[in-house]
Protein backbone atom coordinates (compact mmCIF):
# COMPACT_ATOMS: atom_id res chain seq x y z
CA UNK A 1 0.00 0.00 0.00
CA UNK A 2 0.91 3.66 -0.31
CA UNK A 3 0.50 5.09 3.19
CA UNK A 4 0.82 8.73 4.26
CA UNK A 5 1.49 9.44 7.94
CA UNK A 6 0.40 12.79 9.37
CA UNK A 7 2.67 13.49 12.33
CA UNK A 8 5.23 10.97 11.11
CA UNK A 9 8.08 12.39 13.19
CA UNK A 10 6.26 12.32 16.55
CA UNK A 11 6.22 9.86 19.44
CA UNK A 12 3.91 7.40 17.69
CA UNK A 13 4.42 8.59 14.13
CA UNK A 14 8.05 7.58 13.92
CA UNK A 15 7.06 4.04 14.90
CA UNK A 16 4.21 4.02 12.37
CA UNK A 17 6.62 4.99 9.59
CA UNK A 18 9.19 2.38 10.66
CA UNK A 19 6.67 -0.46 11.04
CA UNK A 20 4.81 0.29 7.82
CA UNK A 21 8.06 0.35 5.83
CA UNK A 22 9.21 -2.88 7.46
CA UNK A 23 5.98 -4.48 6.26
CA UNK A 24 6.74 -3.48 2.70
CA UNK A 25 4.49 -0.44 2.34
CA UNK A 26 5.56 2.75 0.61
CA UNK A 27 5.36 5.48 3.24
CA UNK A 28 5.22 9.26 2.96
CA UNK A 29 5.64 11.32 6.13
CA UNK A 30 3.48 14.43 6.04
CA UNK A 31 5.69 16.98 7.77
CA UNK A 32 7.16 20.42 7.25
CA UNK A 33 10.52 18.75 6.59
CA UNK A 34 8.88 17.06 3.61
CA UNK A 35 7.30 20.29 2.41
CA UNK A 36 3.86 19.69 3.92
CA UNK A 37 2.15 22.04 6.37
CA UNK A 38 -0.87 20.32 7.91
CA UNK A 39 -2.23 23.53 9.40
CA UNK A 40 -2.11 25.68 6.27
CA UNK A 41 -2.59 22.73 3.92
CA UNK A 42 0.42 23.71 1.80
CA UNK A 43 1.89 20.75 -0.10
CA UNK A 44 -0.82 18.37 1.06
CA UNK A 45 -2.57 17.79 -2.28
CA UNK A 46 0.67 16.80 -4.00
CA UNK A 47 1.77 14.57 -1.10
CA UNK A 48 -1.50 12.60 -1.17
CA UNK A 49 -1.36 11.84 -4.88
CA UNK A 50 -1.59 8.05 -5.27
CA UNK A 51 -1.98 7.41 -1.53
CA UNK A 52 -4.22 4.50 -0.46
CA UNK A 53 -4.51 5.25 3.25
CA UNK A 54 -3.69 8.07 5.66
CA UNK A 55 -2.74 7.40 9.27
CA UNK A 56 -3.25 10.57 11.28
CA UNK A 57 -1.22 10.87 14.48
CA UNK A 58 -0.63 14.63 14.22
CA UNK A 59 -0.64 16.24 17.64
CA UNK A 60 -0.42 19.46 19.60
CA UNK A 61 0.86 20.01 23.13
CA UNK A 62 -1.70 22.64 24.15
CA UNK A 63 -3.99 22.06 27.12
CA UNK A 64 -6.25 24.96 26.10
CA UNK A 65 -9.60 23.69 24.84
CA UNK A 66 -10.11 26.40 22.21
CA UNK A 67 -6.63 25.98 20.78
CA UNK A 68 -6.94 22.19 20.80
CA UNK A 69 -10.24 22.28 18.91
CA UNK A 70 -8.82 24.77 16.43
CA UNK A 71 -5.76 22.62 15.76
CA UNK A 72 -7.51 19.30 15.35
CA UNK A 73 -10.42 20.61 13.29
CA UNK A 74 -8.07 22.52 11.00
CA UNK A 75 -5.65 19.66 10.44
CA UNK A 76 -8.35 17.01 10.16
CA UNK A 77 -10.44 19.18 7.85
CA UNK A 78 -7.47 19.79 5.56
CA UNK A 79 -6.61 16.10 5.48
CA UNK A 80 -10.14 14.90 4.76
CA UNK A 81 -10.75 17.46 2.00
CA UNK A 82 -7.54 16.61 0.21
CA UNK A 83 -8.01 12.88 0.76
CA UNK A 84 -11.41 13.02 -0.91
CA UNK A 85 -10.00 14.97 -3.84
CA UNK A 86 -7.09 12.53 -4.21
CA UNK A 87 -9.27 9.42 -3.97
CA UNK A 88 -7.73 8.16 -0.72
CA UNK A 89 -9.70 5.10 0.34
CA UNK A 90 -9.07 5.01 4.10
CA UNK A 91 -8.46 7.51 6.90
CA UNK A 92 -7.11 6.06 10.16
CA UNK A 93 -7.17 8.39 13.17
CA UNK A 94 -5.64 7.98 16.62
CA UNK A 95 -7.74 9.28 19.53
CA UNK A 96 -7.81 8.87 23.31
CA UNK A 97 -9.74 6.47 25.53
CA UNK A 98 -12.59 8.22 27.34
CA UNK A 99 -12.60 11.35 25.18
CA UNK A 100 -16.35 11.88 25.43
CA UNK A 101 -16.20 11.65 29.23
CA UNK A 102 -13.62 14.42 29.53
CA UNK A 103 -14.56 16.76 26.69
CA UNK A 104 -12.57 19.75 27.95
CA UNK A 105 -9.08 21.10 27.40
CA UNK A 106 -6.99 18.94 25.08
CA UNK A 107 -9.70 16.27 25.00
CA UNK A 108 -12.18 18.71 23.45
CA UNK A 109 -9.98 18.84 20.37
CA UNK A 110 -9.81 15.05 20.10
CA UNK A 111 -13.59 14.78 20.37
CA UNK A 112 -13.98 17.39 17.63
CA UNK A 113 -11.54 15.41 15.51
CA UNK A 114 -13.52 12.21 15.97
CA UNK A 115 -16.73 13.99 14.97
CA UNK A 116 -15.22 15.27 11.71
CA UNK A 117 -13.76 11.87 10.83
CA UNK A 118 -16.97 9.95 11.57
CA UNK A 119 -19.03 12.32 9.42
CA UNK A 120 -16.56 12.34 6.54
CA UNK A 121 -17.11 10.94 3.05
CA UNK A 122 -13.73 9.22 3.35
CA UNK A 123 -14.05 5.68 4.78
CA UNK A 124 -12.53 5.66 8.24
CA UNK A 125 -11.21 3.87 11.29
CA UNK A 126 -10.69 5.39 14.74
CA UNK A 127 -8.45 3.77 17.34
CA UNK A 128 -8.59 5.14 20.87
CA UNK A 129 -5.55 4.45 23.02
CA UNK A 130 -4.50 5.36 26.55
CA UNK A 131 -1.55 7.62 27.35
CA UNK A 132 1.84 6.38 26.18
CA UNK A 133 4.63 5.40 28.55
CA UNK A 134 6.39 8.62 27.48
CA UNK A 135 3.58 10.68 29.03
CA UNK A 136 5.12 10.44 32.51
CA UNK A 137 8.39 11.92 31.31
CA UNK A 138 6.53 14.71 29.53
CA UNK A 139 4.73 15.55 32.77
CA UNK A 140 8.06 15.62 34.62
CA UNK A 141 9.52 18.11 32.13
CA UNK A 142 6.49 20.35 31.79
CA UNK A 143 5.26 20.45 35.38
CA UNK A 144 8.44 20.93 37.37
CA UNK A 145 8.63 24.04 39.56
CA UNK A 146 12.06 23.96 41.15
CA UNK A 147 12.26 20.73 43.18
CA UNK A 148 8.50 20.19 42.92
CA UNK A 149 6.49 18.44 40.21
CA UNK A 150 2.77 19.19 40.08
CA UNK A 151 0.92 16.16 38.70
CA UNK A 152 -2.84 15.76 38.29
CA UNK A 153 -4.41 12.95 40.30
CA UNK A 154 -5.02 10.46 37.51
CA UNK A 155 -5.67 6.75 37.04
CA UNK A 156 -3.91 5.66 33.87
CA UNK A 157 -3.16 2.46 31.99
CA UNK A 158 -0.11 3.43 29.91
CA UNK A 159 0.66 1.65 26.67
CA UNK A 160 3.79 1.38 24.55
CA UNK A 161 3.83 3.88 21.68
CA UNK A 162 5.21 1.21 19.37
CA UNK A 163 2.29 -1.12 20.15
CA UNK A 164 -0.13 1.69 19.30
CA UNK A 165 1.74 2.19 16.04
CA UNK A 166 1.47 -1.52 15.25
CA UNK A 167 -2.29 -1.39 15.81
CA UNK A 168 -2.62 1.64 13.54
CA UNK A 169 -0.71 -0.01 10.69
CA UNK A 170 -2.79 -3.17 11.12
CA UNK A 171 -5.93 -1.03 10.99
CA UNK A 172 -4.78 0.55 7.73
CA UNK A 173 -4.14 -2.89 6.28
CA UNK A 174 -7.52 -4.23 7.40
CA UNK A 175 -9.56 -1.48 5.73
CA UNK A 176 -12.22 0.87 7.16
CA UNK A 177 -13.99 -0.48 10.26
CA UNK A 178 -15.26 2.61 12.13
CA UNK A 179 -14.53 2.59 15.86
CA UNK A 180 -12.37 -0.39 16.71
CA UNK A 181 -11.52 -1.79 20.13
CA UNK A 182 -9.74 0.61 22.47
CA UNK A 183 -6.11 -0.14 23.29
CA UNK A 184 -4.55 0.20 26.73
CA UNK A 185 -1.49 -1.08 28.53
CA UNK A 186 -1.32 -4.15 30.78
CA UNK A 187 -1.36 -2.31 34.14
CA UNK A 188 -3.37 0.39 35.88
CA UNK A 189 -1.27 2.94 37.73
CA UNK A 190 -1.46 6.35 39.35
CA UNK A 191 0.23 8.94 37.15
CA UNK A 192 2.18 10.31 40.12
CA UNK A 193 3.73 6.89 40.68
CA UNK A 194 4.98 6.82 37.08
CA UNK A 195 6.39 10.34 37.27
CA UNK A 196 8.31 9.43 40.43
CA UNK A 197 9.74 6.38 38.68
CA UNK A 198 10.96 8.43 35.72
CA UNK A 199 12.52 11.04 38.02
CA UNK A 200 14.35 8.31 39.92
CA UNK A 201 15.51 6.71 36.67
CA UNK A 202 16.90 10.04 35.51
CA UNK A 203 18.55 10.73 38.87
CA UNK A 204 16.43 13.80 39.56
CA UNK A 205 15.48 14.65 43.12
CA UNK A 206 11.89 15.78 42.80
CA UNK A 207 8.92 15.88 45.15
CA UNK A 208 5.79 14.89 43.22
CA UNK A 209 2.64 16.62 44.44
CA UNK A 210 -0.78 15.47 43.22
CA UNK A 211 -3.56 17.97 42.66
CA UNK A 212 -7.08 18.03 41.28
CA UNK A 213 -9.77 20.56 40.34
CA UNK A 214 -13.53 20.62 39.74
CA UNK A 215 -15.05 19.81 36.37
CA UNK A 216 -15.61 16.80 34.09
CA UNK A 217 -12.01 16.54 32.90
CA UNK A 218 -10.52 16.33 36.37
CA UNK A 219 -13.24 13.96 37.57
CA UNK A 220 -12.61 11.64 34.63
CA UNK A 221 -8.87 11.67 35.30
CA UNK A 222 -9.19 10.64 38.94
CA UNK A 223 -12.15 8.22 38.77
CA UNK A 224 -10.76 5.88 36.11
CA UNK A 225 -12.94 7.04 33.20
CA UNK A 226 -9.86 7.38 30.99
CA UNK A 227 -8.86 3.72 31.14
CA UNK A 228 -10.32 1.07 28.80
CA UNK A 229 -13.51 -0.80 29.59
CA UNK A 230 -13.97 -4.56 29.29
CA UNK A 231 -13.37 -5.85 25.79
CA UNK A 232 -10.51 -3.49 24.99
CA UNK A 233 -7.25 -4.66 23.48
CA UNK A 234 -4.37 -4.92 25.95
CA UNK A 235 -0.74 -4.13 25.19
CA UNK A 236 2.20 -6.28 26.24
CA UNK A 237 4.96 -3.99 27.50
CA UNK A 238 4.67 -2.81 31.10
CA UNK A 239 5.77 0.65 32.16
CA UNK A 240 8.65 -0.77 34.22
CA UNK A 241 9.88 -2.81 31.24
CA UNK A 242 9.77 0.31 29.07
CA UNK A 243 11.60 2.32 31.72
CA UNK A 244 14.43 -0.22 31.75
CA UNK A 245 14.81 -0.58 27.99
CA UNK A 246 13.88 2.74 26.35
CA UNK A 247 16.81 5.14 26.05
CA UNK A 248 14.41 8.09 25.91
CA UNK A 249 13.36 7.39 29.50
CA UNK A 250 16.83 7.83 30.96
Amino acid sequence: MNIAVAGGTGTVGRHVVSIARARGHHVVSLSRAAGVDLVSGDGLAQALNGVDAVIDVANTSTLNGKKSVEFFTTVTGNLLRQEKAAGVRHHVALSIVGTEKAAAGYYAGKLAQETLVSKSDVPWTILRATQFHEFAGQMLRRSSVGPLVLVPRMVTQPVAAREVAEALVEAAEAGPRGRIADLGGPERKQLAELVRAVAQKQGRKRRVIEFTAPGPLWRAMRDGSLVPEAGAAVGRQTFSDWLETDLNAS
Side-chain angles (χ1 to χ4, degrees), residues 14-249:
R14 61 189 176 87
H15 291 301
V16 172
V17 171
S18 173
I19 292 168
R21 285 176 176 162
R23 294 191 181 199
H25 301 298
H26 178 265
V27 181
V28 175
S29 181
L30 304 178
S31 65
R32 287 190 175 92
V36 178
D37 189 318
L38 295 173
V39 175
S40 69
D42 292 344
L44 192 53
Q46 182 178 359
L48 292 178
N49 185 35
V51 166
D52 300 305
V54 169
I55 298 177
D56 180 14
V57 290
N59 198 25
T60 179
S61 60
T62 184
L63 299 178
N64 180 279
K66 183 178 179 180
K67 291 181 179 179
S68 179
V69 170
E70 181 179 2
F71 174 84
F72 284 110
T73 55
T74 298
V75 169
T76 303
N78 287 340
L79 284 170
L80 293 172
R81 279 191 295 273
Q82 295 300 337
E83 287 170 23
K84 182 178 179 180
V88 175
R89 299 192 297 271
H90 190 189
H91 180 97
V92 181
L94 175 63
S95 191
I96 307 176
V97 170
T99 296
E100 79 287 354
K101 300 175 183 177
Y106 175 83
Y107 287 82
K110 297 304 290 183
L111 187 60
Q113 177 190 22
E114 288 190 10
T115 300
L116 282 179
V117 171
S118 63
K119 293 182 177 179
S120 168
D121 293 330
V122 179
W124 56 276
T125 299
I126 292 175
L127 169 68
R128 287 181 173 182
T130 53
Q131 287 73 26
F132 315 130
H133 293 322
E134 288 85 352
F135 183 59
Q138 293 168 0
M139 288 298 304
L140 178 61
R141 291 192 300 273
R142 297 172 185 171
S143 303
S144 292
V145 182
L148 305 180
V149 187
L150 305 179
V151 176
R153 191 177 302 279
M154 180 178 183
V155 180
T156 185
Q157 196 168 321
V159 65
R162 186 171 183 84
E163 293 179 357
V164 175
E166 290 173 351
L168 290 166
V169 174
E170 290 170 0
E173 294 171 337
R177 291 183 290 163
R179 271 281 309 277
I180 58 177
D182 293 349
L183 175 60
E187 301 174 307
R188 292 192 180 186
K189 299 284 188 178
Q190 290 289 333
L191 178 59
E193 176 186 354
L194 306 182
V195 174
R196 290 188 185 100
V198 173
Q200 183 178 12
K201 175 72 174 181
Q202 296 178 351
R204 299 186 182 188
K205 294 183 179 180
R206 294 290 187 271
R207 181 183 177 189
V208 177
I209 298 177
E210 292 182 285
F211 71 94
T212 189
L217 173 59
W218 301 96
R219 182 170 58 252
M221 293 172 74
R222 64 179 181 266
D223 71 7
S225 294
L226 303 185
V227 298
E229 298 178 354
V234 179
R236 303 175 299 279
Q237 187 185 49
T238 65
F239 181 81
S240 59
D241 286 343
W242 170 81
L243 197 60
E244 291 301 319
T245 60
D246 196 297
L247 295 178
N248 293 318

